[in-house]
Amino acid sequence: MTIKDTPEQWEIRATETPFVGNKTSVRTDDVVMPDGSVVRRDYQVHPGSVAVLALDEEGRVLVIRQYRHPVRHKLWEIPAGLLDVPGENPLHAAQRELYEEAHVKAEDWRVLTDVYTTPGGCDEAVRIFLARDLSEAEGQRFEVEDEEADMEHARVPVEELVRGVLAGDLHNNCLVVGVLSLVAAQRGDGLDALRPAEAPWPARPFDA
């Protein structure tokens, strides 16, 4: 048996969208189960996201601290953002987010991992990139607003982040998945064996 996720589409008898928000919406589908019964499923429709684990030459990860209202916490995270434009190249979106949130650019980009954040209730797909060979971006800093205006920045050793994850002190999905994937890659075939930055992403097909 091959351990690999596979696409599949069960029959939908009816669908509606009872809520449409600024960036996401809620969809209700009547889905036919294997036994022939029909079950209603509500889920959030999401455009998708990118995140960037930026690793400097000293083995530190660039992290930001931001207020997240739904969970009533200030969370340490890695730079991330929505795929605002349908079909947008996720690498370009990731480069933009790293610039906007940290005023940093990177010369070496690879795909670290792809995840569905909460597949039981949301169709959000996130591509987490590894960015290396960091330097300060040129020009003026991007003008942030709302929650981002209160962001803090830090560079933290990977080992310290791993301890924080396992101790239950760090909870952001992309940070947790990204940091543990980084360590696994380092101990496995190495970071240079990761997929190229332009690797296909079936969950969110993009223009080259």
Side-chain angles (χ1 to χ4, degrees):
M1 181 176 62
T2 301
I3 305 300
K4 181 178 180 179
D5 297 335
T6 55
E8 188 166 335
Q9 174 72 51
W10 290 4
E11 181 185 353
I12 299 173
R13 290 281 175 83
T15 185
E16 59 185 69
T17 305
F19 171 79
V20 177
N22 184 33
K23 297 293 185 181
T24 66
S25 60
V26 173
R27 183 174 298 161
T28 299
D29 290 341
D30 291 340
V31 186
V32 179
M33 297 290 108
D35 64 359
S37 61
V38 178
V39 176
R40 177 157 288 195
R41 292 287 180 258
D42 303 318
Y43 58 100
Q44 183 184 23
V45 178
H46 193 286
S49 306
V50 292
V52 184
L53 193 146
L55 184 68
D56 70 15
E57 294 180 353
E58 297 179 34
R60 302 175 302 174
V61 176
L62 191 159
V63 291
I64 58 179
R65 189 170 183 240
Q66 184 173 347
Y67 176 66
R68 293 300 187 182
H69 185 70
V71 295
R72 310 301 198 272
H73 270 70
K74 271 193 170 182
L75 300 179
W76 284 104
E77 307 178 350
I78 57 177
L82 297 175
L83 289 168
D84 294 312
V85 181
E88 182 179 18
N89 187 310
L91 173 60
H92 300 165
Q95 292 169 332
R96 180 185 67 238
E97 292 300 331
L98 185 60
Y99 160 71
E100 291 182 356
E101 295 193 352
H103 199 66
V104 166
K105 65 178 182 179
E107 299 302 323
D108 187 282
W109 289 84
R110 298 174 190 270
V111 175
L112 187 54
T113 190
D114 299 325
V115 296
Y116 291 115
T117 56
T118 49
C122 179
D123 71 351
E124 180 183 14
V126 179
R127 168 157 282 189
I128 303 176
F129 289 91
L130 171 66
R132 294 181 293 174
D133 193 4
L134 310 181
S135 61
E136 185 173 358
E138 295 91 356
Q140 293 184 337
R141 286 184 173 272
F142 181 78
E143 187 173 343
V144 296
E145 58 184 9
D146 302 327
E147 291 91 344
E148 293 182 351
D150 190 46
M151 283 195 309
E152 303 171 49
H153 297 77
R155 295 195 182 196
V156 182
V158 174
E159 297 78 8
E160 184 176 338
L161 293 175
V162 171
R163 286 194 295 270
V165 168
L166 299 180
D169 295 331
L170 299 172
H171 306 89
N172 175 263
N173 183 291
C174 291
L175 184 147
V176 171
V177 173
V179 166
L180 297 185
S181 295
L182 173 71
V183 173
Q186 289 173 326
R187 295 178 180 177
D189 295 332
L191 301 183
D192 290 335
L194 291 168
R195 286 173 291 162
E198 298 277 6
W201 189 17
R204 292 294 185 274
F206 59 91
D207 300 325

